[in-house]
Amino acid sequence: MVTYIIRRLIAAILMLLIVSMVTFAIFFLVPRLAGATPEGMASRYVGRTASEETAKLAAERLGFNDPVIVQYGNYVKGIVFGAEYDYGPGVETCPAPCLGYSFITRQPVWPDLLDRMPVTFSLAVGAAVIWVLVGVGIGVVSALKRGSLFDRAAMTVALAGVSLPIFFTGLISLVALSYGNPFSIFAQGGHYTPITENPIMWAYNLILPWVTLAFLFAAGYARLTRAGMLDTMNEDYIRTARAKGLAERVVVTKHGLRGALTPIITIFGLDFGLLIGGAVLTESTYSLQGLGKYAVDAITNNDLPKVMGVTLLTAVFVIVANLIVDLLYAVVDPRVRLS
Amino acid sequence: MTVSPATDAFLELRDLRIHFPTDDGLVKSVDGLSYRLDRGKTLGIVGESGSGKSVTSLGVLGLHNRRNAQVSGEIWLDGLELVSAPEDVVRGLRGKKMAMIFQDPLSAMHPYYTIGNQIIEAYRIHNKVSKSVARKHAIDMLGRVGIPQPDRRVDDYPHEFSGGMRQRAMIAMALSCDPELLIADEPTTALDVTVQAQILDLMRDLQREFDSALIIITHDLGVVAELSDDILVMYGGKCIEYGSTDDIFYNPEHPYTWGLLGSMPRLDREPTDRLQPIKGTPPSLINVPPGCAFSPRCPYGSRTGGLSTGEVPELTESRGGHKVRCHMPPAERRSIWESDVKPMLETT
Amino acid sequence: MSEHPDMLLSVKDLSKHFPITTGLLKRQVGAVKAVDGVSFDVVKGETLGVVGESGCGKTTTGRLITRLIEPTAGKVVFEGEDITHMSQSRLRPLRRDMQMIFQDPYSSLNPRHTVGTIVGAPFRIQGIKTEHGIKRAVQDILSLVGLNPEHYNRYPHEFSGGQRQRIGIARTLALKPKLIIADEPVSALDVSIQAQVVNLLEDLQNELGLTYVVIAHDLSVVRHISDRVAVMYLGKVVEIGGRKSLYSSPLHPYTNALLSAVPIPDPANRTGRERIRLQGDVPSPLNPPPACRFHTRCWKAQEVCKTVEPVLTELASGHQVACHFPENMPVLETTAPAENTTA
């Protein structure tokens, strides 16, 4: 078991290194290969109107002329220990973890990300709770009542859920239940109250985005759970459980669901990891200032360090979520512990 | 349909039918099956795949697919009729009064729970005892079925047991509540020969110890010869021959039983050049041939003057409790057996 | 038994060890000795049966012979040619002569191909010209194995288990092989169908002069079909001999126990029969017992069995055993190292 954990940990760390290399390559190497000069890249830091001379100097000071390996080394060093940016007019200290400086705001990226994280996190956690409960619940009932009216209705709605994009369901919900029409029982977009300030307002403001996001995922989870339950309930060990005289409810929950949940844990790890890296569409639709919205704004402004910061952070979340899933797997399935 | 039990038998099936409607037609898995079994006795049910032998026993425990099954007939267990009994009553009997051992112990045990937990669960459904008492009982049961160091192995998972040990654990689980009826569905098919012998010995010993009624379902005539008092041969969802083990092996009267005996290579006979297979293949339970289900494969069908394909033969008593479902008159069957079949089997 | 003039297949010291790795660096800590120094010969036209319980290496042996997996050591000589290290391209023409029949007639046939395509595939792959076209050749084979030639355009799911096994056999026969390795050819079939397929295999052998290596766990089937039988236990051949001699007077205690464990379809045997009951299951091939691998379950085991590995020795004509204390010793020959202790 210990070797299993250590092996997973090492794999996760290696994965992180590779991700950092790839992001670095995309943001620093590819532009160079595409023909951007060191001066061109440095000029972004000093402003478009700067003279050629200043740009040259900045490029030298920011290290754009160094060999690629050294640049990558500095980049990683910045993340781990912090860095100092000397782009000419002055020196800016960027404490660890330094994910670079914004071109536009001249602010370090990391504190920005820290600001945005609670929003995305609140959105993701709330939605996840809803979609897991609803999705798995509907999936189980559908499987047990296969072919019934409930099953058919649920699966039809689920198919719609998987197919409809967030910006559609989101806007519909806003138009229908917000924006000052008679049914405006929910908050309009753009409001966020930290849970520490007022938990009720926190939930009230987030309920629409939660439901919209959960609808999409719940649909997929319902279908997945249903398929998994149908498989599991056909297993021999379910028949054994019934042969013991167990009540059907216990057979379903203790013996059936436990078997069917394993693939769902895997998918959930991936989905949740991705989501806390930014629910781009949901945040944009509801104007929530989360990581996703941050990334979209950064892309619009061509603010490379910000984009890179979000990318790296998302990758970290996905990798960590996967690591947790792997460990959970070993807890759920004793056979994993052996191999 | 109120029929008085009027039976002193421990288990009695009367005209049991289990049919499953499907898109392709009605699957008549069990089609009018009757038999009786007393405590302390062993009944062997023999048949090939699709003969309905497994569904029969699942039906007794109420474990057949209830959602779409059409069940009729009666199952009397110790004075209680099970087909018309509410599901809750049957469930209360499962595991306690009647238990089952399945073919493949690896897939029949939950991979995520320890052997001990699965036995404890079975015990605590029917006995209101604490976990630690149930655990002691589980260890005790594991010891009784011959698992070494049961106090340590009780916390192992099924995949940590060998095949034979798993089947022993399965038996321990089935016997944990001291059932009076034990049904074993191909209990040794998934096991190696030397392990199979151990398990058959174990089942024989345990049955004596517990004085339970045992039904053993198998395709292997060798297994029933070792264990059974009576044998029921199934074909196409029906019983085609029923009798004492001696009846079936020494004086079988149904051409299908003859065919089974002739198909098997046997270690106790000199091998000759050829086996005597039954031609054709077993029928599908959707399209059971008209008349006698065995007629398309029967070498003696022509002797019935067209009856064999026109009419379903009745299960009639030949002599002394030996019942046969065949259009040929008993005397003719016996003379074919004595003059044609028996000599051929003995040179084999 | 060296260099028989009609030798078709000769297996010498064949071994297959699957490595076991552990720890972070996947260090190799041991090996599953699935097959460990197996030797036997097969003469043209005969049937060698290979029996044993799960984990004895019988299936791996079959795959090694056909080079479906690569051996760790030893060699396979087919028709006088060492094929152990032959490249796949040189092996291809030889594959025509050496075919395999598998256990499961359900999973070994591609469900999307018609019977004609399946049975005809060997012709196409090997690029063989047939006199009247491939279809005709396939139909001839179909009728040879007892299938209706008109079933040429049907799909596997339209057939029963026994018929599918016939299709599998038809496929192996397409190229008129010399040697057929059959791995549990009838164990997935119903009793009444088993007999049909066993008879078919025998008929084909007589008609086409085939040589078989039949791998099975069912001792009755193996006795029925084989001329000679090899008994395997944990990767080793413990006994090999003529069918009659091996079944009537088995020399190895394991063979004896194996035969005694088979349930006999005769109720009279319930009481009259002498039974040998082995304790426990077959040990894991991951960590097999040292020296004689059977000593942990053997009622005759002595100290020597735990320290010295017995070698295959010929104790009767053509009948070899690897045991320090063999059973049923022939009375006339007293060359054996141990005293006669028949149980």
Side-chain angles (χ1 to χ4, degrees):
Chain A
M1 185 69 188
V2 178
T3 31
Y4 175 79
I5 296 175
I6 294 177
R7 193 177 290 155
R8 293 290 144 200
L9 269 174
I10 292 178
I13 290 168
L14 277 178
M15 202 63 205
L16 274 178
L17 265 177
I18 291 171
V19 167
S20 74
M21 282 181 203
V22 172
T23 26
F24 175 80
I26 290 171
F27 291 106
F28 285 101
L29 220 52
V30 174
R32 290 294 305 277
L33 293 177
T37 56
E39 293 77 29
M41 291 180 71
S43 68
R44 296 231 177 114
Y45 282 87
V46 288
R48 281 175 212 281
T49 51
S51 68
E52 220 168 283
E53 198 70 10
T54 347
K56 222 174 215 165
L57 205 65
E60 184 61 36
R61 285 182 180 152
L62 289 170
F64 283 124
N65 293 325
D66 292 340
V68 176
I69 300 290
V70 176
Q71 288 192 43
Y72 175 68
N74 285 336
Y75 166 72
V76 174
K77 201 170 124 197
I79 295 174
V80 182
F81 301 108
E84 298 205 322
Y85 278 77
D86 176 3
Y87 52 86
V91 179
E92 296 272 5
T93 338
C94 171
C98 175
L99 294 172
Y101 255 80
S102 159
F103 295 151
I104 314 289
T105 59
R106 302 261 169 122
Q107 294 296 314
V109 171
W110 178 246
D112 273 2
L113 294 180
L114 271 185
D115 266 3
R116 305 295 187 108
M117 253 189 267
V119 181
T120 303
F121 211 74
S122 303
L123 178 65
V125 170
V129 169
I130 297 174
W131 93 60
V132 168
L133 289 181
V134 174
V136 171
I138 289 178
V140 169
V141 177
S142 272
L144 296 181
K145 298 183 184 288
R146 179 163 46 126
S148 67
L149 194 64
F150 175 89
D151 178 30
R152 281 178 221 177
M155 286 307 113
T156 311
V157 175
L159 186 65
V162 193
S163 333
L164 295 177
I166 291 267
F167 48 79
F168 178 77
T169 46
L171 287 177
I172 294 278
S173 77
L174 278 174
V175 168
L177 301 169
S178 184
Y179 288 138
N181 64 42
F183 305 106
S184 63
I185 32 181
F186 293 106
Q188 295 182 11
H191 299 282
Y192 174 77
T193 320
I195 188 168
T196 43
E197 260 172 46
N198 185 346
I200 293 170
M201 281 309 289
W202 171 78
Y204 175 76
N205 282 330
L206 281 171
I207 192 103
L208 269 190
W210 278 346
V211 171
T212 309
L213 192 54
F215 182 52
L216 174 77
F217 282 98
Y221 281 60
R223 293 164 65 90
L224 202 68
T225 310
R226 180 179 181 272
M229 276 304 275
L230 284 179
D231 276 356
T232 316
M233 293 306 283
N234 276 326
E235 291 279 353
D236 284 358
Y237 57 75
I238 295 295
R239 197 179 51 190
T240 310
R242 289 196 180 119
K244 290 177 184 178
L246 273 179
E248 191 62 22
R249 183 179 45 82
V250 185
V251 173
V252 170
T253 50
K254 189 174 167 191
H255 292 260
L257 198 54
R258 179 130 185 221
L261 277 186
T262 344
I264 294 178
I265 292 176
T266 316
I267 305 285
F268 180 76
L270 269 176
D271 284 346
F272 190 71
L274 264 175
L275 208 54
I276 49 181
V280 176
L281 288 176
T282 315
E283 287 173 10
S284 303
T285 308
Y286 291 97
S287 314
L288 288 169
Q289 300 301 316
L291 291 171
K293 186 85 175 34
Y294 184 75
V296 171
D297 293 345
I299 292 166
T300 328
N301 293 326
N302 211 0
D303 201 346
L304 270 187
K306 281 186 177 177
V307 180
M308 221 169 121
V310 180
T311 310
L312 207 56
L313 190 66
T314 310
V316 171
F317 285 142
V318 172
I319 288 167
V320 169
N322 261 321
L323 180 66
I324 294 171
V325 163
D326 279 347
L327 299 182
L328 265 182
Y329 239 87
V331 173
V332 172
D333 187 347
R335 288 170 299 183
V336 175
R337 285 172 224 166
L338 276 186
S339 50
Chain B
M1 206 167 61
T2 47
V3 184
S4 68
T7 172
D8 50 345
F10 173 62
L11 173 71
E12 181 165 357
L13 266 63
R14 288 179 188 166
D15 198 30
L16 182 71
R17 288 167 204 272
I18 304 179
H19 295 175
F20 299 97
T22 67
D23 293 343
D24 300 322
L26 193 63
V27 179
K28 297 178 177 174
S29 294
V30 182
D31 202 25
L33 189 70
S34 306
Y35 64 78
R36 46 178 292 166
L37 178 64
D38 289 316
R39 280 195 183 84
K41 293 288 182 189
T42 302
L43 172 71
I45 299 184
V46 178
E48 298 181 279
S49 55
S51 62
K53 59 186 194 299
S54 288
V55 179
T56 309
S57 52
L58 289 173
V60 171
L61 266 79
L63 288 175
H64 56 280
N65 190 346
R66 285 180 161 263
R67 274 160 46 89
N68 57 356
Q70 300 169 349
V71 185
S72 69
E74 299 161 45
I75 301 170
W76 290 95
L77 180 74
D78 207 10
L80 188 69
E81 206 287 302
L82 301 183
V83 173
S84 58
E87 159 65 12
D88 266 8
V89 173
V90 180
R91 185 171 59 71
L93 297 174
R94 276 207 292 270
K96 184 169 176 58
K97 197 157 184 107
M98 49 188 186
M100 191 149 179
I101 300 167
F102 297 100
Q103 173 174 354
D104 181 1
L106 184 60
S107 62
M109 297 190 112
H110 203 296
Y112 295 172
Y113 297 104
T114 62
I115 299 273
N117 276 335
Q118 301 192 43
I119 300 177
I120 290 168
E121 181 184 48
Y123 188 57
R124 290 187 75 209
I125 298 168
H126 305 288
N127 298 277
K128 300 287 160 257
V129 295
S130 71
K131 267 198 179 153
S132 62
V133 171
R135 187 183 154 87
K136 275 207 192 74
H137 182 72
I139 294 171
D140 180 46
M141 287 308 300
L142 286 175
R144 275 167 91 178
V145 297
I147 288 182
Q149 298 176 303
D151 49 331
R152 294 216 336 243
R153 304 300 310 259
V154 70
D155 293 321
D156 281 358
Y157 288 94
H159 68 267
E160 294 170 294
F161 270 44
S162 66
M165 288 293 150
R166 269 195 294 264
Q167 194 56 294
R168 283 172 194 269
M170 188 81 212
I171 293 173
M173 188 158 85
L175 293 180
S176 65
C177 294
D178 214 350
E180 292 166 76
L181 170 66
L182 185 63
I183 300 180
D185 188 356
E186 302 270 10
T188 57
T189 307
L191 305 176
D192 279 324
V193 191
T194 56
V195 180
Q196 162 170 288
Q198 297 167 11
I199 298 290
L200 292 180
D201 285 351
L202 175 72
M203 289 181 45
R204 190 185 296 117
D205 294 347
L206 288 172
Q207 192 209 7
R208 248 176 240 151
E209 192 185 327
F210 287 77
D211 195 36
S212 49
L214 177 64
I215 297 177
I216 182 152
I217 299 157
T218 179
H219 68 278
D220 189 335
L221 286 169
V223 170
V224 284
E226 295 236 339
L227 285 183
S228 313
D229 298 301
D230 295 319
I231 293 174
L232 190 158
V233 184
M234 281 190 81
Y235 191 83
K238 287 186 164 70
C239 168
I240 53 103
E241 185 161 10
Y242 174 87
S244 71
T245 302
D246 281 359
D247 283 343
I248 301 294
F249 281 99
Y250 299 138
N251 293 300
E253 290 192 21
H254 197 286
Y256 175 63
T257 314
W258 299 338
L260 279 184
L261 289 167
S263 299
M264 304 178 65
R266 296 172 63 153
L267 283 184
D268 58 333
R269 304 269 163 86
E270 277 306 307
T272 49
D273 286 344
R274 291 186 75 75
L275 298 169
Q276 304 293 329
I278 309 172
K279 67 179 182 191
T281 51
S284 104
L285 290 169
I286 295 180
N287 281 317
V288 180
C292 172
F294 187 60
S295 57
R297 306 176 72 191
C298 184
Y300 307 100
S302 56
R303 298 188 176 212
T304 61
L307 260 182
S308 71
T309 50
E311 218 172 281
V312 180
E314 291 296 317
L315 186 69
T316 49
E317 184 149 342
S318 162
R319 54 184 169 188
H322 186 175
K323 295 175 191 166
V324 185
R325 192 187 288 277
C326 181
H327 283 303
M328 285 190 289
E332 188 177 357
R333 297 194 301 248
R334 273 175 225 143
S335 91
I336 295 176
W337 164 250
E338 289 295 337
S339 60
D340 286 14
V341 187
K342 195 174 168 193
M344 182 195 77
L345 288 178
E346 286 191 343
T347 57
T348 344
Chain C
M1 287 243 310
S2 59
E3 293 314 302
H4 192 285
D6 283 333
M7 185 87 71
L8 184 66
L9 173 76
S10 175
V11 170
K12 286 203 177 66
D13 289 322
L14 200 61
S15 294
K16 178 67 190 181
H17 297 178
F18 296 100
I20 308 160
T21 56
T22 187
L24 292 174
L25 302 171
K26 303 253 178 198
R27 201 159 33 90
Q28 185 177 341
V29 290
V32 176
K33 295 179 177 173
V35 174
D36 200 21
V38 162
S39 304
F40 55 77
D41 298 320
V42 184
V43 175
K44 269 179 201 139
E46 77 166 345
T47 300
L48 174 73
V50 180
V51 278
E53 297 180 280
S54 54
C56 75
K58 55 188 193 295
T59 295
T60 311
T61 305
R63 295 186 171 193
L64 286 172
I65 296 172
T66 44
R67 286 279 311 273
L68 286 178
I69 48 175
E70 299 297 319
T72 314
K75 64 177 180 177
V76 179
V77 178
F78 182 70
E79 290 200 297
E81 228 178 325
D82 187 345
I83 62 163
T84 330
H85 303 292
M86 203 175 262
S87 67
Q88 288 297 332
S89 55
R90 282 191 55 210
L91 205 58
R92 190 163 301 129
L94 278 175
R95 291 224 187 269
R96 287 169 60 172
D97 297 333
M98 203 196 273
Q99 290 285 322
M100 203 154 178
I101 299 173
F102 296 97
Q103 169 177 4
D104 188 355
Y106 292 86
S107 61
S108 57
L109 301 178
N110 188 334
R112 287 186 196 81
H113 289 169
T114 62
V115 170
T117 318
I118 291 170
V119 178
F123 292 112
R124 297 188 190 95
I125 291 166
Q126 295 272 359
I128 308 239
K129 295 277 175 293
T130 44
E131 219 174 307
H132 303 285
I134 288 175
K135 181 167 179 181
R136 177 73 183 278
V138 168
Q139 287 181 329
D140 285 350
I141 298 166
L142 288 181
S143 51
L144 186 66
V145 298
L147 290 169
N148 188 341
E150 285 159 24
H151 291 167
Y152 186 85
N153 281 322
R154 297 214 182 159
Y155 288 89
H157 71 261
E158 298 174 63
F159 294 89
S160 68
Q163 288 173 314
R164 281 184 224 211
Q165 196 56 296
R166 286 173 193 268
I167 298 170
I169 293 171
R171 174 174 57 182
T172 62
L173 290 178
L175 298 168
K176 298 193 171 53
K178 292 173 179 148
L179 174 69
I180 288 184
I181 316 271
D183 189 357
E184 300 279 7
V186 297
S187 63
L189 306 175
D190 273 321
V191 186
S192 68
I193 309 299
Q194 267 190 14
Q196 296 173 0
V197 174
V198 165
N199 282 351
L200 172 67
L201 287 174
E202 288 183 341
D203 292 346
L204 291 171
Q205 181 165 43
N206 293 338
E207 272 171 54
L208 308 172
L210 296 170
T211 307
Y212 291 136
V213 173
V214 175
I215 297 163
H217 71 279
D218 187 324
L219 288 137
S220 323
V221 167
V222 166
R223 181 175 81 149
H224 189 89
I225 206 169
S226 310
D227 300 304
R228 288 192 306 127
V229 176
V231 181
M232 287 186 75
Y233 188 76
L234 282 174
K236 300 241 179 223
V237 171
V238 294
E239 181 165 4
I240 182 166
R243 182 245 314 255
K244 200 166 177 188
S245 145
L246 188 131
Y247 276 82
S248 58
S249 50
L251 297 173
H252 202 286
Y254 176 63
T255 313
N256 213 352
L258 213 52
L259 288 172
S260 149
V262 177
I264 301 295
D266 182 350
N269 266 292
R270 253 192 247 195
T271 45
R273 193 157 157 237
E274 186 191 341
R275 289 161 193 279
I276 302 164
R277 286 293 182 261
L278 294 181
Q279 294 300 305
D281 288 8
V282 182
S284 154
L286 202 144
N287 214 343
C292 176
R293 294 183 173 186
F294 186 57
H295 81 252
T296 50
R297 299 172 84 199
C298 184
W299 63 99
K300 301 176 97 181
Q302 309 268 327
E303 209 43 46
V304 63
C305 304
K306 297 172 195 167
T307 48
V308 181
E309 180 168 345
V311 288
L312 265 181
T313 325
E314 186 157 334
L315 292 187
S317 162
H319 193 161
Q320 296 171 288
V321 67
C323 180
H324 293 300
F325 306 102
E327 308 251 294
N328 299 321
M329 283 298 296
V331 188
L332 294 175
E333 296 173 46
T334 45
T335 45
E339 77 268 35
N340 186 350
T341 50
T342 312

